[in-house]
Amino acid sequence: AQLNIWARIAGKQYFGSATDNYELADKPYFKQLSNTLDFAQITPSNSLKWFATEPERGNFTFAGGEEIVAFAKKNKQLVRGHTCVWHSQLAPWVEAGNFDNATLSTIVKDHCYNLLNEACRIHWDVVNEAFNEDGTFRETVFYKTIGPSYIDIAFHAARKADPKAKLYINDYNIDGLGPKSTGVINLVKQLKKNKVPIDGIGVQGHLIVGRVPTTIRENLQAFADLGVDVAITELDIRMTLPVTPELLEQQKKDYQTVIAACRAVKRCIGVTIWDWTDKYSWVPGVFDGEGAALPWDEDLKKKPAYYGIVDGFTKL
Ligand SMILES: OC[C@H]1CNC[C@@H](O)[C@@H]1O[C@@H]1O[C@H](CO)[C@@H](O[C@@H]2O[C@H](CO)[C@@H](O[C@@H]3O[C@H](CO)[C@@H](O)[C@H](O)[C@H]3O)[C@H](O)[C@H]2O)[C@H](O)[C@H]1O
């Protein structure tokens, strides 16, 4: 059996992968990504971001996102939408406009409403990477101009556009207990108190071999105890190159640990890897001398990590 089958047997809704438009031209890659026994869910890794969907104010363009959505639909794969409000890959006019609070609030509302109205999906990362490592709010153009209520505005607009989609806040380095996870917990408590429609917390899971937080299961449970779903949204576990048999074995154990933690938490509903083959991983382009983060190698061959994921879903 394959990854999504084991995920389902373990009571999860899906196992999935991110992908990007240019990768779909790669036939062997396309064939494996279409394999729903491994991947029952797809996340467009770039083409639903602000730079791609609203390059000029009020000019909404969804061609890139729609191409990946059409691919998923054909395979009956679920789609996670990524992402509505994020400080990175933001269309330049949003910051260059020096908009006041009222105007930028309208811009956020319109962007999230149109994005979700066009591209209805199972989940949406409505707000991405809103926190600093110490759990305080990241000083983005949205936070500096509007304050923390930009998050409320985005979620309300998202819910108005799509009453069914599950609305998530998504971030990295919130895999284990710590000040950043506490920041997320305090925010979600506040949002729920203020009746802001939030359904889930997205734990990106960009991890390092041999350094998976020992508190990951406890942390996922703490998020679930807030009365929201949890999803692992961008899992990859990078190593310092060159690849060695020891590092591959440790990576296998690390994937097993993360999957087993999600499996143990009832409201951890699914796992998405941030692409599936090292051939298209974002890691080497950002972390010099690091890579080999994904379960398939550059030749599209399964690595020990693949079996670590199986063990995570199956082993007691
Ligand atoms: O950074 C990893 C995660 C972290 N969490 C949020 C999540 O959204 C993020 O994903 C990554 O987010 C990164 C940007 O922050 C993306 O990287 C961008 O990916 C884009 C599409 O491939 C790149 O754009 C291409 O760049 C090429 C060379 O510069 C140009 O020739 C292409 O025209 C242009 O499309 C950008 O330079 C590159 O910065 C990665 O693909 C994407 O996987």
Side-chain angles (χ1 to χ4, degrees), residues 26-62:
D26 177 336
K27 289 222 168 359
Y29 173 94
F30 183 101
K31 186 161 173 288
Q32 171 53 36
L33 186 68
S34 312
N35 177 350
T36 52
L37 298 178
D38 278 319
F39 308 123
Q41 177 272 328
I42 300 287
T43 304
S45 59
N46 283 301
S47 46
L48 286 173
K49 292 171 177 172
W50 202 313
F51 80 99
T53 56
E54 193 181 2
E56 289 100 39
R57 187 174 178 185
N59 167 24
F60 292 94
T61 55
F62 298 108

PDB file of all heavy atoms in Angstrom, residues 26-62:
ATOM      1  N   ASP A  26       7.035  18.011 -16.601  1.00  0.00           N
ATOM      2  CA  ASP A  26       7.973  16.892 -16.409  1.00  0.00           C
ATOM      3  C   ASP A  26       7.165  15.600 -16.365  1.00  0.00           C
ATOM      4  O   ASP A  26       6.532  15.286 -15.357  1.00  0.00           O
ATOM      5  CB  ASP A  26       8.745  17.123 -15.096  1.00  0.00           C
ATOM      6  CG  ASP A  26       9.708  15.999 -14.747  1.00  0.00           C
ATOM      7  OD1 ASP A  26       9.510  14.861 -15.209  1.00  0.00           O
ATOM      8  OD2 ASP A  26      10.652  16.280 -13.971  1.00  0.00           O
ATOM      9  N   LYS A  27       7.128  14.838 -17.458  1.00  0.00           N
ATOM     10  CA  LYS A  27       6.205  13.693 -17.577  1.00  0.00           C
ATOM     11  C   LYS A  27       6.317  12.668 -16.438  1.00  0.00           C
ATOM     12  O   LYS A  27       5.302  12.336 -15.817  1.00  0.00           O
ATOM     13  CB  LYS A  27       6.378  13.002 -18.933  1.00  0.00           C
ATOM     14  CG  LYS A  27       5.832  13.837 -20.112  1.00  0.00           C
ATOM     15  CD  LYS A  27       5.070  12.962 -21.107  1.00  0.00           C
ATOM     16  CE  LYS A  27       4.245  13.748 -22.145  1.00  0.00           C
ATOM     17  NZ  LYS A  27       4.275  15.211 -22.048  1.00  0.00           N
ATOM     18  N   PRO A  28       7.524  12.138 -16.156  1.00  0.00           N
ATOM     19  CA  PRO A  28       7.601  11.158 -15.058  1.00  0.00           C
ATOM     20  C   PRO A  28       7.144  11.761 -13.719  1.00  0.00           C
ATOM     21  O   PRO A  28       6.483  11.095 -12.915  1.00  0.00           O
ATOM     22  CB  PRO A  28       9.088  10.802 -15.019  1.00  0.00           C
ATOM     23  CG  PRO A  28       9.614  11.166 -16.363  1.00  0.00           C
ATOM     24  CD  PRO A  28       8.803  12.342 -16.815  1.00  0.00           C
ATOM     25  N   TYR A  29       7.454  13.038 -13.512  1.00  0.00           N
ATOM     26  CA  TYR A  29       7.018  13.732 -12.293  1.00  0.00           C
ATOM     27  C   TYR A  29       5.482  13.806 -12.275  1.00  0.00           C
ATOM     28  O   TYR A  29       4.829  13.475 -11.280  1.00  0.00           O
ATOM     29  CB  TYR A  29       7.606  15.147 -12.246  1.00  0.00           C
ATOM     30  CG  TYR A  29       7.071  15.993 -11.118  1.00  0.00           C
ATOM     31  CD1 TYR A  29       7.738  16.074  -9.904  1.00  0.00           C
ATOM     32  CD2 TYR A  29       5.891  16.720 -11.253  1.00  0.00           C
ATOM     33  CE1 TYR A  29       7.239  16.838  -8.861  1.00  0.00           C
ATOM     34  CE2 TYR A  29       5.381  17.477 -10.219  1.00  0.00           C
ATOM     35  CZ  TYR A  29       6.069  17.534  -9.027  1.00  0.00           C
ATOM     36  OH  TYR A  29       5.543  18.284  -7.985  1.00  0.00           O
ATOM     37  N   PHE A  30       4.927  14.200 -13.419  1.00  0.00           N
ATOM     38  CA  PHE A  30       3.471  14.363 -13.555  1.00  0.00           C
ATOM     39  C   PHE A  30       2.766  13.044 -13.235  1.00  0.00           C
ATOM     40  O   PHE A  30       1.772  12.998 -12.514  1.00  0.00           O
ATOM     41  CB  PHE A  30       3.164  14.799 -14.997  1.00  0.00           C
ATOM     42  CG  PHE A  30       1.726  15.091 -15.306  1.00  0.00           C
ATOM     43  CD1 PHE A  30       1.274  16.404 -15.351  1.00  0.00           C
ATOM     44  CD2 PHE A  30       0.832  14.065 -15.591  1.00  0.00           C
ATOM     45  CE1 PHE A  30      -0.057  16.691 -15.656  1.00  0.00           C
ATOM     46  CE2 PHE A  30      -0.495  14.346 -15.892  1.00  0.00           C
ATOM     47  CZ  PHE A  30      -0.938  15.660 -15.934  1.00  0.00           C
ATOM     48  N   LYS A  31       3.354  11.943 -13.746  1.00  0.00           N
ATOM     49  CA  LYS A  31       2.740  10.608 -13.569  1.00  0.00           C
ATOM     50  C   LYS A  31       2.702  10.248 -12.076  1.00  0.00           C
ATOM     51  O   LYS A  31       1.643   9.863 -11.549  1.00  0.00           O
ATOM     52  CB  LYS A  31       3.567   9.574 -14.358  1.00  0.00           C
ATOM     53  CG  LYS A  31       2.973   8.171 -14.399  1.00  0.00           C
ATOM     54  CD  LYS A  31       3.579   7.359 -15.569  1.00  0.00           C
ATOM     55  CE  LYS A  31       3.119   5.892 -15.497  1.00  0.00           C
ATOM     56  NZ  LYS A  31       3.813   5.188 -14.333  1.00  0.00           N
ATOM     57  N   GLN A  32       3.808  10.446 -11.381  1.00  0.00           N
ATOM     58  CA  GLN A  32       3.825  10.086  -9.957  1.00  0.00           C
ATOM     59  C   GLN A  32       2.932  11.024  -9.128  1.00  0.00           C
ATOM     60  O   GLN A  32       2.241  10.593  -8.208  1.00  0.00           O
ATOM     61  CB  GLN A  32       5.257  10.119  -9.405  1.00  0.00           C
ATOM     62  CG  GLN A  32       5.375   9.969  -7.894  1.00  0.00           C
ATOM     63  CD  GLN A  32       4.678   8.750  -7.294  1.00  0.00           C
ATOM     64  OE1 GLN A  32       4.646   7.685  -7.886  1.00  0.00           O
ATOM     65  NE2 GLN A  32       4.090   8.943  -6.114  1.00  0.00           N
ATOM     66  N   LEU A  33       2.883  12.302  -9.470  1.00  0.00           N
ATOM     67  CA  LEU A  33       2.057  13.244  -8.705  1.00  0.00           C
ATOM     68  C   LEU A  33       0.573  12.932  -8.877  1.00  0.00           C
ATOM     69  O   LEU A  33      -0.247  13.217  -8.013  1.00  0.00           O
ATOM     70  CB  LEU A  33       2.325  14.686  -9.150  1.00  0.00           C
ATOM     71  CG  LEU A  33       1.638  15.783  -8.342  1.00  0.00           C
ATOM     72  CD1 LEU A  33       2.208  15.864  -6.920  1.00  0.00           C
ATOM     73  CD2 LEU A  33       1.737  17.137  -9.024  1.00  0.00           C
ATOM     74  N   SER A  34       0.248  12.267 -10.006  1.00  0.00           N
ATOM     75  CA  SER A  34      -1.152  11.893 -10.283  1.00  0.00           C
ATOM     76  C   SER A  34      -1.554  10.637  -9.538  1.00  0.00           C
ATOM     77  O   SER A  34      -2.717  10.242  -9.546  1.00  0.00           O
ATOM     78  CB  SER A  34      -1.340  11.636 -11.781  1.00  0.00           C
ATOM     79  OG  SER A  34      -0.787  12.677 -12.547  1.00  0.00           O
ATOM     80  N   ASN A  35      -0.569  10.026  -8.880  1.00  0.00           N
ATOM     81  CA  ASN A  35      -0.822   8.744  -8.222  1.00  0.00           C
ATOM     82  C   ASN A  35      -1.545   8.956  -6.897  1.00  0.00           C
ATOM     83  O   ASN A  35      -0.948   9.243  -5.864  1.00  0.00           O
ATOM     84  CB  ASN A  35       0.522   8.038  -7.998  1.00  0.00           C
ATOM     85  CG  ASN A  35       0.351   6.735  -7.251  1.00  0.00           C
ATOM     86  OD1 ASN A  35      -0.720   6.450  -6.738  1.00  0.00           O
ATOM     87  ND2 ASN A  35       1.416   5.975  -7.187  1.00  0.00           N
ATOM     88  N   THR A  36      -2.844   8.794  -6.911  1.00  0.00           N
ATOM     89  CA  THR A  36      -3.650   9.111  -5.722  1.00  0.00           C
ATOM     90  C   THR A  36      -3.472   8.084  -4.606  1.00  0.00           C
ATOM     91  O   THR A  36      -3.932   8.319  -3.487  1.00  0.00           O
ATOM     92  CB  THR A  36      -5.142   9.162  -6.120  1.00  0.00           C
ATOM     93  OG1 THR A  36      -5.452   7.961  -6.815  1.00  0.00           O
ATOM     94  CG2 THR A  36      -5.417  10.346  -7.016  1.00  0.00           C
ATOM     95  N   LEU A  37      -2.770   6.989  -4.867  1.00  0.00           N
ATOM     96  CA  LEU A  37      -2.492   6.048  -3.783  1.00  0.00           C
ATOM     97  C   LEU A  37      -1.478   6.658  -2.828  1.00  0.00           C
ATOM     98  O   LEU A  37      -1.474   6.400  -1.634  1.00  0.00           O
ATOM     99  CB  LEU A  37      -1.970   4.732  -4.353  1.00  0.00           C
ATOM    100  CG  LEU A  37      -2.933   3.988  -5.280  1.00  0.00           C
ATOM    101  CD1 LEU A  37      -2.272   2.724  -5.820  1.00  0.00           C
ATOM    102  CD2 LEU A  37      -4.235   3.668  -4.565  1.00  0.00           C
ATOM    103  N   ASP A  38      -0.637   7.544  -3.386  1.00  0.00           N
ATOM    104  CA  ASP A  38       0.302   8.287  -2.536  1.00  0.00           C
ATOM    105  C   ASP A  38      -0.258   9.662  -2.174  1.00  0.00           C
ATOM    106  O   ASP A  38      -0.195  10.086  -1.017  1.00  0.00           O
ATOM    107  CB  ASP A  38       1.648   8.463  -3.244  1.00  0.00           C
ATOM    108  CG  ASP A  38       2.554   7.243  -3.123  1.00  0.00           C
ATOM    109  OD1 ASP A  38       2.586   6.665  -2.029  1.00  0.00           O
ATOM    110  OD2 ASP A  38       3.180   6.869  -4.133  1.00  0.00           O
ATOM    111  N   PHE A  39      -0.806  10.378  -3.151  1.00  0.00           N
ATOM    112  CA  PHE A  39      -1.196  11.780  -2.950  1.00  0.00           C
ATOM    113  C   PHE A  39      -2.684  11.994  -3.222  1.00  0.00           C
ATOM    114  O   PHE A  39      -3.126  11.984  -4.372  1.00  0.00           O
ATOM    115  CB  PHE A  39      -0.373  12.688  -3.862  1.00  0.00           C
ATOM    116  CG  PHE A  39       1.117  12.488  -3.767  1.00  0.00           C
ATOM    117  CD1 PHE A  39       1.868  12.168  -4.893  1.00  0.00           C
ATOM    118  CD2 PHE A  39       1.762  12.586  -2.543  1.00  0.00           C
ATOM    119  CE1 PHE A  39       3.243  11.957  -4.799  1.00  0.00           C
ATOM    120  CE2 PHE A  39       3.133  12.385  -2.430  1.00  0.00           C
ATOM    121  CZ  PHE A  39       3.862  12.069  -3.568  1.00  0.00           C
ATOM    122  N   ALA A  40      -3.440  12.220  -2.152  1.00  0.00           N
ATOM    123  CA  ALA A  40      -4.878  12.507  -2.295  1.00  0.00           C
ATOM    124  C   ALA A  40      -5.145  14.002  -2.161  1.00  0.00           C
ATOM    125  O   ALA A  40      -6.301  14.431  -2.203  1.00  0.00           O
ATOM    126  CB  ALA A  40      -5.658  11.763  -1.221  1.00  0.00           C
ATOM    127  N   GLN A  41      -4.088  14.782  -2.013  1.00  0.00           N
ATOM    128  CA  GLN A  41      -4.238  16.231  -1.820  1.00  0.00           C
ATOM    129  C   GLN A  41      -3.059  16.956  -2.440  1.00  0.00           C
ATOM    130  O   GLN A  41      -1.944  16.437  -2.422  1.00  0.00           O
ATOM    131  CB  GLN A  41      -4.316  16.526  -0.305  1.00  0.00           C
ATOM    132  CG  GLN A  41      -4.411  17.989   0.070  1.00  0.00           C
ATOM    133  CD  GLN A  41      -3.021  18.617   0.216  1.00  0.00           C
ATOM    134  OE1 GLN A  41      -2.058  17.960   0.607  1.00  0.00           O
ATOM    135  NE2 GLN A  41      -2.923  19.897  -0.112  1.00  0.00           N
ATOM    136  N   ILE A  42      -3.329  18.139  -3.014  1.00  0.00           N
ATOM    137  CA  ILE A  42      -2.313  18.937  -3.705  1.00  0.00           C
ATOM    138  C   ILE A  42      -2.352  20.380  -3.182  1.00  0.00           C
ATOM    139  O   ILE A  42      -3.433  20.909  -2.912  1.00  0.00           O
ATOM    140  CB  ILE A  42      -2.595  18.954  -5.229  1.00  0.00           C
ATOM    141  CG1 ILE A  42      -2.583  17.534  -5.817  1.00  0.00           C
ATOM    142  CG2 ILE A  42      -1.647  19.883  -5.966  1.00  0.00           C
ATOM    143  CD1 ILE A  42      -1.206  16.908  -5.943  1.00  0.00           C
ATOM    144  N   THR A  43      -1.183  21.001  -3.011  1.00  0.00           N
ATOM    145  CA  THR A  43      -1.098  22.427  -2.690  1.00  0.00           C
ATOM    146  C   THR A  43      -0.282  23.137  -3.764  1.00  0.00           C
ATOM    147  O   THR A  43       0.867  22.740  -4.004  1.00  0.00           O
ATOM    148  CB  THR A  43      -0.398  22.654  -1.328  1.00  0.00           C
ATOM    149  OG1 THR A  43      -1.067  21.945  -0.290  1.00  0.00           O
ATOM    150  CG2 THR A  43      -0.380  24.150  -0.980  1.00  0.00           C
ATOM    151  N   PRO A  44      -0.858  24.161  -4.444  1.00  0.00           N
ATOM    152  CA  PRO A  44      -0.047  24.969  -5.361  1.00  0.00           C
ATOM    153  C   PRO A  44       0.980  25.748  -4.535  1.00  0.00           C
ATOM    154  O   PRO A  44       0.594  26.529  -3.679  1.00  0.00           O
ATOM    155  CB  PRO A  44      -1.058  25.899  -6.022  1.00  0.00           C
ATOM    156  CG  PRO A  44      -2.394  25.270  -5.780  1.00  0.00           C
ATOM    157  CD  PRO A  44      -2.274  24.589  -4.435  1.00  0.00           C
ATOM    158  N   SER A  45       2.278  25.541  -4.759  1.00  0.00           N
ATOM    159  CA  SER A  45       3.289  26.134  -3.873  1.00  0.00           C
ATOM    160  C   SER A  45       3.552  27.607  -4.154  1.00  0.00           C
ATOM    161  O   SER A  45       4.142  28.283  -3.315  1.00  0.00           O
ATOM    162  CB  SER A  45       4.600  25.358  -3.990  1.00  0.00           C
ATOM    163  OG  SER A  45       5.052  25.387  -5.334  1.00  0.00           O
ATOM    164  N   ASN A  46       3.094  28.147  -5.300  1.00  0.00           N
ATOM    165  CA  ASN A  46       3.320  29.563  -5.607  1.00  0.00           C
ATOM    166  C   ASN A  46       2.150  30.265  -6.280  1.00  0.00           C
ATOM    167  O   ASN A  46       1.914  31.444  -6.040  1.00  0.00           O
ATOM    168  CB  ASN A  46       4.555  29.714  -6.507  1.00  0.00           C
ATOM    169  CG  ASN A  46       5.844  29.576  -5.733  1.00  0.00           C
ATOM    170  OD1 ASN A  46       6.084  30.335  -4.806  1.00  0.00           O
ATOM    171  ND2 ASN A  46       6.637  28.591  -6.071  1.00  0.00           N
ATOM    172  N   SER A  47       1.387  29.590  -7.113  1.00  0.00           N
ATOM    173  CA  SER A  47       0.503  30.300  -8.043  1.00  0.00           C
ATOM    174  C   SER A  47      -0.806  30.817  -7.458  1.00  0.00           C
ATOM    175  O   SER A  47      -1.581  31.443  -8.188  1.00  0.00           O
ATOM    176  CB  SER A  47       0.228  29.436  -9.267  1.00  0.00           C
ATOM    177  OG  SER A  47      -0.098  28.128  -8.887  1.00  0.00           O
ATOM    178  N   LEU A  48      -1.056  30.610  -6.155  1.00  0.00           N
ATOM    179  CA  LEU A  48      -2.228  31.238  -5.529  1.00  0.00           C
ATOM    180  C   LEU A  48      -1.807  32.343  -4.580  1.00  0.00           C
ATOM    181  O   LEU A  48      -2.621  32.870  -3.824  1.00  0.00           O
ATOM    182  CB  LEU A  48      -3.086  30.186  -4.813  1.00  0.00           C
ATOM    183  CG  LEU A  48      -3.911  29.275  -5.729  1.00  0.00           C
ATOM    184  CD1 LEU A  48      -4.596  28.161  -4.920  1.00  0.00           C
ATOM    185  CD2 LEU A  48      -4.954  30.074  -6.504  1.00  0.00           C
ATOM    186  N   LYS A  49      -0.508  32.701  -4.638  1.00  0.00           N
ATOM    187  CA  LYS A  49      -0.008  33.770  -3.766  1.00  0.00           C
ATOM    188  C   LYS A  49      -0.372  35.141  -4.347  1.00  0.00           C
ATOM    189  O   LYS A  49      -0.737  35.248  -5.529  1.00  0.00           O
ATOM    190  CB  LYS A  49       1.502  33.607  -3.567  1.00  0.00           C
ATOM    191  CG  LYS A  49       1.875  32.375  -2.746  1.00  0.00           C
ATOM    192  CD  LYS A  49       3.375  32.116  -2.736  1.00  0.00           C
ATOM    193  CE  LYS A  49       3.737  30.923  -1.860  1.00  0.00           C
ATOM    194  NZ  LYS A  49       5.173  30.526  -1.962  1.00  0.00           N
ATOM    195  N   TRP A  50      -0.254  36.210  -3.525  1.00  0.00           N
ATOM    196  CA  TRP A  50      -0.720  37.529  -3.927  1.00  0.00           C
ATOM    197  C   TRP A  50      -0.062  38.029  -5.204  1.00  0.00           C
ATOM    198  O   TRP A  50      -0.727  38.576  -6.096  1.00  0.00           O
ATOM    199  CB  TRP A  50      -0.483  38.535  -2.780  1.00  0.00           C
ATOM    200  CG  TRP A  50      -1.352  39.756  -2.841  1.00  0.00           C
ATOM    201  CD1 TRP A  50      -1.608  40.549  -3.947  1.00  0.00           C
ATOM    202  CD2 TRP A  50      -2.097  40.365  -1.766  1.00  0.00           C
ATOM    203  NE1 TRP A  50      -2.452  41.585  -3.618  1.00  0.00           N
ATOM    204  CE2 TRP A  50      -2.760  41.503  -2.296  1.00  0.00           C
ATOM    205  CE3 TRP A  50      -2.257  40.064  -0.411  1.00  0.00           C
ATOM    206  CZ2 TRP A  50      -3.579  42.324  -1.505  1.00  0.00           C
ATOM    207  CZ3 TRP A  50      -3.064  40.891   0.379  1.00  0.00           C
ATOM    208  CH2 TRP A  50      -3.726  41.998  -0.164  1.00  0.00           C
ATOM    209  N   PHE A  51       1.282  37.839  -5.363  1.00  0.00           N
ATOM    210  CA  PHE A  51       1.976  38.336  -6.562  1.00  0.00           C
ATOM    211  C   PHE A  51       1.369  37.751  -7.830  1.00  0.00           C
ATOM    212  O   PHE A  51       1.330  38.393  -8.877  1.00  0.00           O
ATOM    213  CB  PHE A  51       3.478  38.006  -6.489  1.00  0.00           C
ATOM    214  CG  PHE A  51       3.833  36.587  -6.871  1.00  0.00           C
ATOM    215  CD1 PHE A  51       4.304  36.287  -8.143  1.00  0.00           C
ATOM    216  CD2 PHE A  51       3.679  35.545  -5.967  1.00  0.00           C
ATOM    217  CE1 PHE A  51       4.600  34.980  -8.506  1.00  0.00           C
ATOM    218  CE2 PHE A  51       3.967  34.230  -6.317  1.00  0.00           C
ATOM    219  CZ  PHE A  51       4.445  33.954  -7.586  1.00  0.00           C
ATOM    220  N   ALA A  52       0.836  36.532  -7.720  1.00  0.00           N
ATOM    221  CA  ALA A  52       0.320  35.832  -8.908  1.00  0.00           C
ATOM    222  C   ALA A  52      -1.168  36.060  -9.119  1.00  0.00           C
ATOM    223  O   ALA A  52      -1.659  35.969 -10.246  1.00  0.00           O
ATOM    224  CB  ALA A  52       0.587  34.335  -8.763  1.00  0.00           C
ATOM    225  N   THR A  53      -1.911  36.374  -8.053  1.00  0.00           N
ATOM    226  CA  THR A  53      -3.377  36.424  -8.157  1.00  0.00           C
ATOM    227  C   THR A  53      -3.951  37.842  -8.213  1.00  0.00           C
ATOM    228  O   THR A  53      -5.089  38.009  -8.653  1.00  0.00           O
ATOM    229  CB  THR A  53      -4.010  35.674  -6.967  1.00  0.00           C
ATOM    230  OG1 THR A  53      -3.505  36.247  -5.753  1.00  0.00           O
ATOM    231  CG2 THR A  53      -3.710  34.195  -7.030  1.00  0.00           C
ATOM    232  N   GLU A  54      -3.186  38.863  -7.764  1.00  0.00           N
ATOM    233  CA  GLU A  54      -3.645  40.258  -7.870  1.00  0.00           C
ATOM    234  C   GLU A  54      -2.450  41.173  -8.120  1.00  0.00           C
ATOM    235  O   GLU A  54      -2.054  41.966  -7.265  1.00  0.00           O
ATOM    236  CB  GLU A  54      -4.402  40.706  -6.613  1.00  0.00           C
ATOM    237  CG  GLU A  54      -5.157  42.020  -6.816  1.00  0.00           C
ATOM    238  CD  GLU A  54      -5.893  42.511  -5.570  1.00  0.00           C
ATOM    239  OE1 GLU A  54      -5.802  41.857  -4.493  1.00  0.00           O
ATOM    240  OE2 GLU A  54      -6.569  43.567  -5.661  1.00  0.00           O
ATOM    241  N   PRO A  55      -1.843  41.030  -9.334  1.00  0.00           N
ATOM    242  CA  PRO A  55      -0.617  41.791  -9.641  1.00  0.00           C
ATOM    243  C   PRO A  55      -0.846  43.304  -9.642  1.00  0.00           C
ATOM    244  O   PRO A  55       0.078  44.060  -9.326  1.00  0.00           O
ATOM    245  CB  PRO A  55      -0.234  41.283 -11.031  1.00  0.00           C
ATOM    246  CG  PRO A  55      -1.464  40.660 -11.595  1.00  0.00           C
ATOM    247  CD  PRO A  55      -2.260  40.155 -10.425  1.00  0.00           C
ATOM    248  N   GLU A  56      -2.056  43.740  -9.976  1.00  0.00           N
ATOM    249  CA  GLU A  56      -2.431  45.153  -9.842  1.00  0.00           C
ATOM    250  C   GLU A  56      -3.719  45.191  -9.027  1.00  0.00           C
ATOM    251  O   GLU A  56      -4.504  44.243  -9.066  1.00  0.00           O
ATOM    252  CB  GLU A  56      -2.705  45.829 -11.193  1.00  0.00           C
ATOM    253  CG  GLU A  56      -1.493  46.078 -12.057  1.00  0.00           C
ATOM    254  CD  GLU A  56      -1.402  44.987 -13.122  1.00  0.00           C
ATOM    255  OE1 GLU A  56      -2.472  44.589 -13.641  1.00  0.00           O
ATOM    256  OE2 GLU A  56      -0.299  44.492 -13.363  1.00  0.00           O
ATOM    257  N   ARG A  57      -3.933  46.288  -8.343  1.00  0.00           N
ATOM    258  CA  ARG A  57      -5.117  46.366  -7.485  1.00  0.00           C
ATOM    259  C   ARG A  57      -6.388  46.119  -8.291  1.00  0.00           C
ATOM    260  O   ARG A  57      -6.644  46.761  -9.301  1.00  0.00           O
ATOM    261  CB  ARG A  57      -5.200  47.711  -6.773  1.00  0.00           C
ATOM    262  CG  ARG A  57      -6.338  47.734  -5.745  1.00  0.00           C
ATOM    263  CD  ARG A  57      -6.381  48.978  -4.901  1.00  0.00           C
ATOM    264  NE  ARG A  57      -7.525  48.914  -3.983  1.00  0.00           N
ATOM    265  CZ  ARG A  57      -7.871  49.917  -3.181  1.00  0.00           C
ATOM    266  NH1 ARG A  57      -7.165  51.057  -3.186  1.00  0.00           N
ATOM    267  NH2 ARG A  57      -8.915  49.795  -2.369  1.00  0.00           N
ATOM    268  N   GLY A  58      -7.159  45.120  -7.847  1.00  0.00           N
ATOM    269  CA  GLY A  58      -8.448  44.840  -8.497  1.00  0.00           C
ATOM    270  C   GLY A  58      -8.344  43.987  -9.736  1.00  0.00           C
ATOM    271  O   GLY A  58      -9.355  43.542 -10.289  1.00  0.00           O
ATOM    272  N   ASN A  59      -7.103  43.720 -10.185  1.00  0.00           N
ATOM    273  CA  ASN A  59      -6.932  42.858 -11.359  1.00  0.00           C
ATOM    274  C   ASN A  59      -6.568  41.456 -10.881  1.00  0.00           C
ATOM    275  O   ASN A  59      -5.420  41.185 -10.523  1.00  0.00           O
ATOM    276  CB  ASN A  59      -5.822  43.429 -12.259  1.00  0.00           C
ATOM    277  CG  ASN A  59      -5.382  42.411 -13.312  1.00  0.00           C
ATOM    278  OD1 ASN A  59      -6.144  41.519 -13.657  1.00  0.00           O
ATOM    279  ND2 ASN A  59      -4.118  42.524 -13.743  1.00  0.00           N
ATOM    280  N   PHE A  60      -7.583  40.575 -10.830  1.00  0.00           N
ATOM    281  CA  PHE A  60      -7.384  39.225 -10.295  1.00  0.00           C
ATOM    282  C   PHE A  60      -7.094  38.237 -11.421  1.00  0.00           C
ATOM    283  O   PHE A  60      -7.818  38.195 -12.413  1.00  0.00           O
ATOM    284  CB  PHE A  60      -8.615  38.806  -9.495  1.00  0.00           C
ATOM    285  CG  PHE A  60      -8.773  39.600  -8.222  1.00  0.00           C
ATOM    286  CD1 PHE A  60      -9.570  40.740  -8.180  1.00  0.00           C
ATOM    287  CD2 PHE A  60      -8.079  39.224  -7.078  1.00  0.00           C
ATOM    288  CE1 PHE A  60      -9.675  41.496  -7.021  1.00  0.00           C
ATOM    289  CE2 PHE A  60      -8.180  39.969  -5.913  1.00  0.00           C
ATOM    290  CZ  PHE A  60      -8.989  41.110  -5.878  1.00  0.00           C
ATOM    291  N   THR A  61      -6.020  37.452 -11.269  1.00  0.00           N
ATOM    292  CA  THR A  61      -5.593  36.498 -12.308  1.00  0.00           C
ATOM    293  C   THR A  61      -5.356  35.130 -11.671  1.00  0.00           C
ATOM    294  O   THR A  61      -4.486  34.979 -10.810  1.00  0.00           O
ATOM    295  CB  THR A  61      -4.271  36.993 -12.931  1.00  0.00           C
ATOM    296  OG1 THR A  61      -3.324  37.175 -11.864  1.00  0.00           O
ATOM    297  CG2 THR A  61      -4.456  38.323 -13.653  1.00  0.00           C
ATOM    298  N   PHE A  62      -6.117  34.146 -12.071  1.00  0.00           N
ATOM    299  CA  PHE A  62      -6.038  32.847 -11.408  1.00  0.00           C
ATOM    300  C   PHE A  62      -5.538  31.725 -12.308  1.00  0.00           C
ATOM    301  O   PHE A  62      -5.620  30.557 -11.945  1.00  0.00           O
ATOM    302  CB  PHE A  62      -7.416  32.482 -10.853  1.00  0.00           C
ATOM    303  CG  PHE A  62      -7.918  33.448  -9.823  1.00  0.00           C
ATOM    304  CD1 PHE A  62      -8.947  34.328 -10.111  1.00  0.00           C
ATOM    305  CD2 PHE A  62      -7.315  33.525  -8.568  1.00  0.00           C
ATOM    306  CE1 PHE A  62      -9.398  35.231  -9.169  1.00  0.00           C
ATOM    307  CE2 PHE A  62      -7.760  34.429  -7.612  1.00  0.00           C
ATOM    308  CZ  PHE A  62      -8.805  35.293  -7.918  1.00  0.00           C
TER     309      PHE A  62
END
